[in-house]
Amino acid sequence: MDLGLGGKRAIVTGATRGIGRAIAEVLTDEGCHIGICARDPASVEAAVAAFAKKGVRATGRALDVRDGAALKAWVAEAGDELGGLDILVSNVSAMGGLAGDEGWRRYFEIDLMGTVHAVEAAVPMLEKSDSAAIVQIASIAAIEVGHDVFPDGFLQAYGAMKAALTNYMAELSRTLGPKGIRANTVSPGQIYFPGGVWHKREQEGNPMYRKALEKIRVGRFGRPDDVARAVAFLASPAASFVSGANLVIDGAFTRRVN
């Protein structure tokens, strides 16, 4: 299938490793020009150089998305460097497992407001695109609670913020639809990659690793590219009639009817 992504201009937050990096790799493989951000300057520089070798325009900035003004300014600057914007992928996350006031604060500032600020900065540019799309990376923690893989309350704050973001995307699909902008959510399950959460749990011998694997009905953990290919489809003109959706990518881990 030709996704029609060649020459499109995309921004991906948190794109130097894991799911974010895989999304940026797939988009640039499809011919998208790319803007990325992450906190580590060396990782951003290395990723931008790798993308540029594919023959696309690539730009990046080291920043902390908790600084809303800096994030908004960078999104606008990246769009200018790319000559406009067609795709925004909000991927950056504080990751699950944080508790207490600090956990709630970090998920609110990074996951929720990091997405809101990126969207607010991107929309004026997306309105000028003939195939504009926003894709937000949530989690199955937003749609299912009480799973026996995790201790009670382990994903409480994380899941609540991801649920808020899923609702936010659904609302954006309605308010931005008349402006020609689609908005969708992707909710990954357990995604394994070197240095990632599930790799660390495997190395530690954490019982959550074995419990999770036993509950994934397809018999393996997900890979970043499993998520990235789905994001590329939702962001592409091939999905031009898909908006307001929440695509769950979890190997049949969750037990609810969508």
Side-chain angles (χ1 to χ4, degrees):
M1 182 187 297
D2 181 3
L3 296 179
L5 285 169
K8 300 299 182 186
R9 300 147 303 181
I11 284 176
V12 184
T13 64
T16 57
R17 62 191 294 270
I19 291 173
R21 178 61 180 264
I23 292 168
E25 292 284 0
V26 170
L27 291 176
T28 51
D29 285 346
E30 292 289 330
C32 284
H33 307 297
I34 196 82
I36 67 165
C37 71
R39 287 181 297 174
D40 180 61
S43 297
V44 171
E45 183 179 355
V48 168
F51 298 141
K53 289 180 180 178
K54 299 181 183 183
V56 301
R57 293 194 299 277
T59 184
R61 175 77 58 81
L63 59 84
D64 187 332
V65 301
R66 287 180 293 183
D67 185 340
L71 175 60
K72 286 184 174 183
W74 173 73
V75 169
E77 291 169 11
D80 287 342
E81 288 187 53
L82 297 175
L85 189 63
D86 304 291
I87 298 163
L88 171 67
V89 181
S90 179
N91 165 74
V92 72
S93 174
M95 301 306 296
L98 299 176
D101 287 354
E102 179 60 20
W104 283 96
R105 186 177 299 109
R106 284 177 62 83
Y107 293 130
F108 176 76
E109 293 174 348
I110 296 173
D111 293 62
L112 183 58
M113 295 310 299
T115 295
V116 171
H117 290 149
V119 168
E120 289 176 347
V123 164
M125 293 180 287
L126 292 172
E127 288 178 340
K128 299 174 184 177
S129 169
D130 61 2
S131 56
I134 300 169
V135 183
Q136 184 264 139
I137 309 302
S139 167
I140 58 171
I143 59 173
E144 183 167 281
V145 298
H147 213 294
D148 58 6
V149 168
F150 307 103
D152 287 346
F154 183 73
L155 296 175
Q156 188 176 72
Y158 177 73
M161 293 304 162
K162 290 300 191 183
L165 283 168
T166 302
N167 184 283
Y168 176 52
M169 285 298 118
E171 179 64 21
L172 286 181
S173 72
R174 297 185 59 79
T175 58
L176 298 181
K179 299 180 179 181
I181 304 172
R182 296 182 298 108
N184 291 290
T185 295
V186 168
S187 291
Q190 289 78 13
I191 306 299
Y192 182 103
F193 58 90
V197 170
W198 290 102
H199 176 237
K200 292 177 181 177
R201 286 175 180 157
E202 179 187 31
Q203 297 297 307
E204 296 163 353
N206 190 313
M208 280 195 287
Y209 175 86
R210 180 54 53 185
K211 285 183 179 180
L213 184 57
E214 290 172 353
K215 299 292 184 181
I216 302 171
R217 304 301 291 176
V218 301
R220 67 169 176 86
F221 282 90
R223 298 182 294 263
D225 61 292
D226 291 322
V227 180
R229 288 192 293 268
V231 171
F233 169 70
L234 286 176
S236 77
S240 62
F241 201 57
V242 182
S243 194
N246 179 17
L247 178 57
V248 175
I249 305 174
D250 71 346
F253 177 87
T254 50
R255 295 174 291 192
R256 95 274 179 264
V257 175
N258 190 8

